[in-house]
Amino acid sequence: MPIPYKRYARAHLTAAEQRELTTVDGLACQLRGHLTQRAADIDLIHVHGAQSKDVQDVVAELLCGHLRFGQEVVLTPQDGLVTRARPDFFFRLDDGRGILAEVERGGTTLNNHDLKDLWKTHVAPDAQHLFLVVPMANWNQNGSARDKPFPRVVQRLGAFFGDERREIDVLSVHIFGYGRETPPA
């Protein structure tokens, strides 16, 4: 069964942006397939106390190993902002055009990492698309779900799309859910 996935795109795109989005959608489809294929392995490493790097390594197999994303690439700073954004992964589509990819875990919504990742994409002059890989649930030590980030992230980031007044300078956001929604038996 495919992993949960949600895509948002700006309401009005130029013809060039539409063509670019077709390429981005193809990469997103490959990532979703990889995460679906590796779901059982991710379930084994996505446990209480695990590091996001453990899941990031599984994502890197595809993004870096096959699709040629760079890892920990420092993005071009935005004029007037003091930022040296360094996403987990970055893919250059063309000059000044790219995809930022982030893998989150415990602080996805509790520390607003999802919104920080969207902001990072918004202010980066060379990133217009965001791939955000987030857990379906994070676990307490007793095995119960502490929070369920995926549906919350879908709701929060979806607020920036669908109405021109709320849209920001990000062409598309692709949210991928990983891990179990319920504790293992």
Side-chain angles (χ1 to χ4, degrees), residues 1-24:
M1 185 163 104
I3 57 120
Y5 167 79
K6 182 67 178 174
R7 170 195 180 268
Y8 293 105
R10 288 186 62 127
H12 302 287
L13 300 172
T14 66
E17 290 169 339
Q18 285 281 6
R19 286 189 299 276
E20 180 177 285
L21 188 55
T22 299
T23 299
V24 173

Side-chain angles (χ1 to χ4, degrees), residues 126-141:
D126 41 6
Q128 294 74 31
H129 307 273
L130 173 62
F131 287 2
L132 190 54
V133 182
V134 303
M136 294 303 296
N138 284 312
W139 310 104
N140 287 317
Q141 192 168 6

